C-alpha cells in the first residue's frame, strides 16, 4: 500500500464552485501533511501544510486532516480559472498521484 | 539567484547519447532529490541525497547515474536511455535530510527530456 494515495481525477468545475480534493494515508504516525500546486510547465510549489488533525485556513484555501479516517482534504472556495493546476498531497518526500483541476470561466 | 535552478530546460537526445542534467539550490538546504514525472503518472522519486550522501535509490535503472558533489549541486548523468525515459525530470531540495514529514520540498521547473 502506498503511503499517500490520491484520486488523479481530472476534475472540472465552473468558476465560483467549491472544490474538494482528497487523499488518504496509511501510517497513523504521520504528523505533517503538505499540499502542493503545480502549474503547467512548472515544478510543484508548496501551497499549504497542516499538522496532525484539524483545519488550517489561508484565504480561499482550507486544509483539513481527519486522523480517525486517515483522510486529508483541501477545499477551495470561490474557485477561479487561475486555480486550474494539478494539486498534489504529500508526506515528506512521498507524493500522491496529483489531481488535475480545471476551473472553467 | 534564489530557489532551485535546473538546466537545461529542454533536452532531446538519441538512445546512444550521454548527457547530464544539472540542479543547483540557493536555499542552504541539506537534502536534494531527483523525481521523474511522466504524463498521466504520479511523481516518481528516483534518488535522495542527504548531506551529499545517497540515502534513497528507488530501484532506478543504472542508465541513470546521480552525482552530488556538494550540498548545493546535484547532477543526473544519462546514458543509453530508452524512449520510455522521456519525461519531466524534477529536482528538489529540503532543509531536513532525514525524510521526516515536516520539511517541505522546493522544486525547480524541471528538464523536459525527449529520447528519440
Amino acid at each position: 500500500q502506498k503511503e499517500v494515495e490520491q484520486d488523479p481525477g481530472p476534475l472540472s468545475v465552473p468558476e465560483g464552485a467549491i472544490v474538494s480534493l482528497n487523499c488518504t494515508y496509511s501510517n497513523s504516525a504521520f504528523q505533517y501533511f503538505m499540499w502542493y500546486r503545480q502549474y503547467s510547465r512548472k515544478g510543484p510549489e508548496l501551497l499549504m501544510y497542516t499538522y496532525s488533525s484539524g483545519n488550517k485556513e489561508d484565504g480561499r484555501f482550507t486544509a483539513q486532516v481527519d486522523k480517525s479516517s486517515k483522510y486529508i482534504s483541501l477545499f477551495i472556495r470561490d474557485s477561479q480559472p487561475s486555480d486550474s493546476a494539478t494539486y498534489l498531497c504529500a508526506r515528506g518526500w512521498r507524493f500522491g498521484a496529483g489531481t488535475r483541476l480545471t476551473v472553467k470561466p | 539567484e534564489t530557489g532551485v535552478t535546473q538546466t537545461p530546460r529542454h533536452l532531446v537526445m538519441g538512445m546512444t547519447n550521454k548527457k547530464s542534467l544539472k540542479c543547483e539550490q540557493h536555499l542552504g538546504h541539506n537534502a536534494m532529490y531527483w523525481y521523474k514525472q511522466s504524463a498521466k503518472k504520479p511523481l516518481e522519486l528516483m534518488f535522495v541525497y542527504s548531506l551529499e550522501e545517497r540515502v534513497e535509490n528507488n530501484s532506478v535503472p543504472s542508465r541513470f547515474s546521480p552525482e552530488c558533489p556538494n550540498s548545493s549541486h546535484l547532477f543526473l548523468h544519462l546514458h543509453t536511455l530508452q524512449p520510455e525515459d522521456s519525461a519531466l525530470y524534477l529536482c528538489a531540495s529540503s532543509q531536513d535530510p532525514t525524510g521526516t514529514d515536516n520539511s517541505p520540498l522546493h522544486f525547480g521547473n524541471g528538464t523536459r527530456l525527449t529520447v528519440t
Side-chain angles (χ1 to χ4, degrees), chain A residues 24-89:
Chain A
T24 58
Y25 62 95
S26 58
N27 190 331
S28 58
F30 293 174
Q31 297 289 331
Y32 287 88
F33 301 92
M34 316 280 184
W35 282 98
Y36 291 79
R37 178 174 61 193
Q38 184 177 19
Y39 289 115
S40 180
R41 292 185 288 278
K42 297 283 190 179
E45 57 179 353
L46 180 68
L47 181 63
M48 295 182 69
Y49 74 90
T50 57
Y51 172 72
S52 192
S53 61
N55 292 359
K56 183 174 182 179
E57 192 171 316
D58 184 0
R60 296 184 294 109
F61 297 87
T62 299
Q64 185 177 78
V65 179
D66 183 339
K67 292 199 77 173
S68 61
S69 60
K70 297 181 186 173
Y71 217 69
I72 315 161
S73 299
L74 179 70
F75 299 98
I76 308 174
R77 293 183 300 280
D78 186 26
S79 56
Q80 303 295 310
S82 57
D83 296 328
S84 298
T86 297
Y87 291 81
L88 304 104
C89 58

Side-chain angles (χ1 to χ4, degrees), chain B residues 90-104:
Chain B
L90 289 161
C91 173
S93 69
S94 70
Q95 180 61 41
D96 181 0
T98 65
T100 56
D101 58 1
N102 63 346
S103 184

Side-chain angles (χ1 to χ4, degrees), chain A residues 31-32 36 38 43 93-94, chain B residues 35 37 56 101-102 105 109:
Chain A
Q31 297 289 331
Y32 287 88
Y36 291 79
Q38 184 177 19
W93 64 51
R94 308 291 183 183
Chain B
Y35 286 87
Q37 189 173 41
E56 181 92 4
D101 58 1
N102 63 346
L105 272 62
N109 286 326

Side-chain angles (χ1 to χ4, degrees), chain B:
Chain B
E1 192 170 353
T2 59
V4 179
T5 304
Q6 289 187 245
T7 54
R9 289 298 309 274
H10 301 274
L11 178 63
V12 179
M13 60 186 290
M15 294 169 60
T16 59
N17 290 160
K18 289 184 179 181
K19 295 286 185 182
S20 295
L21 309 184
K22 179 182 176 182
C23 177
E24 184 173 0
Q25 60 101 355
H26 306 272
L27 300 168
H29 286 167
N30 295 311
M32 296 188 77
Y33 311 77
W34 280 117
Y35 286 87
K36 176 183 178 182
Q37 189 173 41
S38 303
K40 300 182 180 180
K41 286 189 176 181
L43 211 56
E44 298 175 47
L45 179 66
M46 299 177 72
F47 301 103
V48 180
Y49 274 83
S50 169
L51 299 171
E52 302 155 42
E53 290 190 17
R54 190 189 307 180
V55 297
E56 181 92 4
N57 177 358
N58 226 23
S59 302
V60 178
S62 60
R63 56 186 183 270
F64 295 92
S65 175
E67 178 190 1
C68 188
N70 55 61
S71 61
S72 298
H73 293 86
L74 185 65
F75 295 89
L76 187 63
H77 303 299
L78 316 171
H79 63 97
T80 59
L81 294 191
Q82 305 298 310
E84 61 264 30
D85 296 322
S86 298
L88 181 68
Y89 288 85
L90 289 161
C91 173
S93 69
S94 70
Q95 180 61 41
D96 181 0
T98 65
T100 56
D101 58 1
N102 63 346
S103 184
L105 272 62
H106 296 254
F107 285 85
N109 286 326
T111 294
R112 174 68 63 185
L113 174 66
T114 303
V115 181
T116 61

